[in-house]
Amino acid sequence: MRESFARGKPFQETSRVRRADGVYRWMLHLKVPVFDRVGNLIKWNGSSIDIDDQKRAEEQLIKSAQEVQRSEFYLAEAQRLGHIGSWVFDPSFGFDYWSRELFVIYGFDPEKDPPTLDEYLACVHPHDREFMASLIKRMIAEASGCDVTKRIVRSDGEVRHIRCVGAPVVENGILKRIVGNAMDVTVHEALTRELGRREAYLAEAQRLSHTGSFGWNPDTGEIVWSEETYRIFEYDYAKKPTLDMVVRRTHPQDRALAQQVIDRASATGTDFEHEYRLMVADGRVKHVYAIAHALQDAFGNREFIGAMTDITERRRAEEKIRRNEKELRTLIDVMPAFVGTALPDGSVDFLSE
């Protein structure tokens, strides 16, 4: 103010002014110099306007803008870390918005506008392109969303798996837009395929060896069976396995001993192995051998991981061998004595009594 007075220049500034009741209010101060005809400063005209409401509104607007910027930063960072991009599709002319991460996922220039529908479909893998074009048409026609995984081919030739999830925005029965996100799930798809391949190898190995696997938590009673274990017990895969199902399938003559093994393992949490017989629904008898290893985590939770092998064919083969040996011993015991007669040429002629 002193500088303005000294130079005779108009003055405009805002400041907080304390009123008589002690409350501070923002004021806008305006002061204009008045000169006579020869240029002499003769007086100042001024005013002070209460702009406290406006100032607070501006501060709130700035604060809101900062919060929006912070939220946008957090969202952009979360999308970058999670490889997730967001998009908005207008049924009238195509993509209205792509987030920066979505450009990165597709290998497009983030400084450019979102791609046209044709440009988007051009980057979709040729084997998935017709499906995606039909899906987009159906979404527009039916005002529906989507949850689909497709492949894209980036400009460098790299193939990526992208999961797209979209939801329609309908106002007064009219589709206004479809909003959604896209996630790069290439690594997940690769791991899923590898896991599926390993599970297939394991399942085939179990089928060929007639060995199933199982898990048992004695504290919760939860049991998990592999497919081969279901086949051994001859239960439907849809049934959730329980100890009662195991006991019911156990041969009546082996049931008491099998129950003792289960109770002891549950009480002590120690490894166990046991051979017993099963009697399935049609009365057939199976011989099985079960072995399990006890595990315990840092919180004391116990679990058994084990394997069960159908040894019926082995036991039948052993029984057949024993029967053959018994028959052979019986044959030797009852075999008639033979008398040998010497012939002139020195050979022996065995004649029965």
Side-chain angles (χ1 to χ4, degrees):
M1 186 180 296
R2 285 194 296 268
E3 182 181 359
S4 182
F5 285 172
R7 295 184 179 185
K9 299 294 183 180
F11 173 84
Q12 177 176 324
E13 190 58 70
T14 58
S15 68
R16 284 163 292 183
V17 176
R18 189 177 65 182
R19 303 190 314 187
D21 58 4
V23 176
Y24 280 94
R25 303 280 295 181
W26 281 99
M27 305 288 289
L28 172 62
H29 306 286
L30 301 172
K31 302 186 187 305
V32 180
V34 178
F35 300 91
D36 60 16
R37 294 182 178 181
V38 296
N40 297 315
L41 178 61
I42 56 176
K43 63 177 179 179
W44 288 80
N45 291 332
S47 64
S48 293
I49 305 172
D50 187 332
I51 59 170
D52 192 78
D53 293 340
Q54 176 185 344
K55 189 70 173 179
R56 294 185 185 279
E58 290 177 355
E59 291 177 347
Q60 184 61 39
L61 184 61
I62 293 173
K63 182 179 179 181
S64 299
Q66 291 173 341
E67 290 177 351
V68 170
Q69 290 178 346
R70 185 162 53 248
S71 298
E72 289 178 345
F73 170 78
Y74 291 155
L75 176 60
E77 189 65 8
Q79 290 192 353
R80 184 185 70 82
L81 294 174
H83 304 292
I84 302 174
S86 52
W87 50 268
V88 177
F89 184 84
D90 189 307
S92 301
F93 60 85
F95 289 106
D96 185 42
Y97 167 78
W98 270 32
S99 69
R100 182 178 184 84
E101 184 60 24
L102 194 57
F103 280 94
V104 174
I105 290 173
Y106 279 79
F108 292 158
D109 186 353
E111 302 304 323
K112 294 185 178 180
D113 293 332
T116 65
L117 183 57
D118 290 338
E119 290 173 339
Y120 166 77
L121 290 174
C123 75
V124 176
H125 193 284
H127 293 169
D128 300 340
R129 190 172 299 155
E130 183 177 352
F131 166 76
M132 287 303 301
S134 299
L135 175 63
I136 292 173
K137 289 181 180 178
R138 186 169 68 252
M139 291 166 62
I140 295 174
E142 301 176 359
S144 59
C146 67
D147 186 347
V148 62
T149 298
K150 67 178 185 303
R151 291 166 294 177
I152 65 169
V153 182
R154 291 161 48 116
S155 58
D156 57 3
E158 182 182 10
V159 177
R160 309 292 293 179
H161 292 257
I162 311 298
R163 180 186 178 189
C164 291
V165 179
V169 177
V170 179
E171 297 177 3
N172 299 322
I174 300 176
L175 177 65
K176 293 297 184 180
R177 66 190 68 86
I178 302 173
V179 299
N181 58 46
M183 177 186 299
D184 188 338
V185 293
T186 306
V187 175
H188 174 74
E189 287 291 320
L191 292 175
T192 300
R193 288 196 301 272
E194 179 63 21
L195 179 60
R197 184 160 49 244
R198 294 186 181 187
E199 288 179 344
Y201 292 157
L202 176 60
E204 186 64 12
Q206 290 193 357
R207 187 185 67 83
L208 293 174
S209 63
H210 303 292
T211 300
S213 55
F214 65 87
W216 172 40
N217 187 321
D219 297 323
T220 64
E222 182 181 9
I223 297 177
V224 178
W225 283 352
S226 69
E227 290 186 6
E228 185 61 23
T229 305
Y230 274 99
R231 280 193 288 267
I232 291 174
F233 278 97
E234 298 192 17
Y235 277 120
D236 188 280
Y237 298 142
K239 289 186 176 182
K240 185 174 179 59
T242 63
L243 282 179
D244 183 62
M245 290 168 58
V246 175
V247 174
R248 285 204 310 267
R249 277 287 192 263
T250 303
H251 193 285
Q253 295 178 0
D254 298 346
R255 195 167 293 167
L257 182 57
Q259 187 66 57
Q260 290 178 12
V261 173
I262 294 172
D263 294 341
R264 183 167 59 251
S266 178
T268 63
T270 56
D271 299 355
F272 68 88
E273 56 181 308
H274 182 54
E275 181 179 333
Y276 60 104
R277 292 170 295 173
L278 302 179
M279 180 175 287
V280 294
D282 59 5
R284 286 177 293 110
V285 175
K286 291 184 175 182
H287 294 262
V288 295
Y289 171 74
I291 183 170
H293 176 62
L295 301 175
Q296 185 170 329
D297 61 21
F299 300 99
N301 299 315
R302 302 177 303 160
E303 186 174 12
F304 287 93
I305 306 298
M308 172 171 288
T309 304
D310 184 343
I311 58 174
T312 304
E313 293 301 323
R314 185 194 311 172
R315 288 291 174 260
R316 288 175 179 172
E318 293 173 352
E319 180 62 27
K320 184 176 181 180
I321 292 174
R322 285 194 294 268
R323 286 199 307 268
N324 290 340
E325 290 177 346
K326 183 178 180 180
E327 291 174 358
L328 180 58
R329 285 194 298 269
T330 301
L331 181 61
I332 293 175
D333 292 340
V334 301
M335 182 180 295
F338 287 90
V339 178
T341 302
L343 299 176
D345 60 0
S347 63
V348 178
D349 181 20
F350 289 93
L351 301 175
S352 175
E353 288 182 341

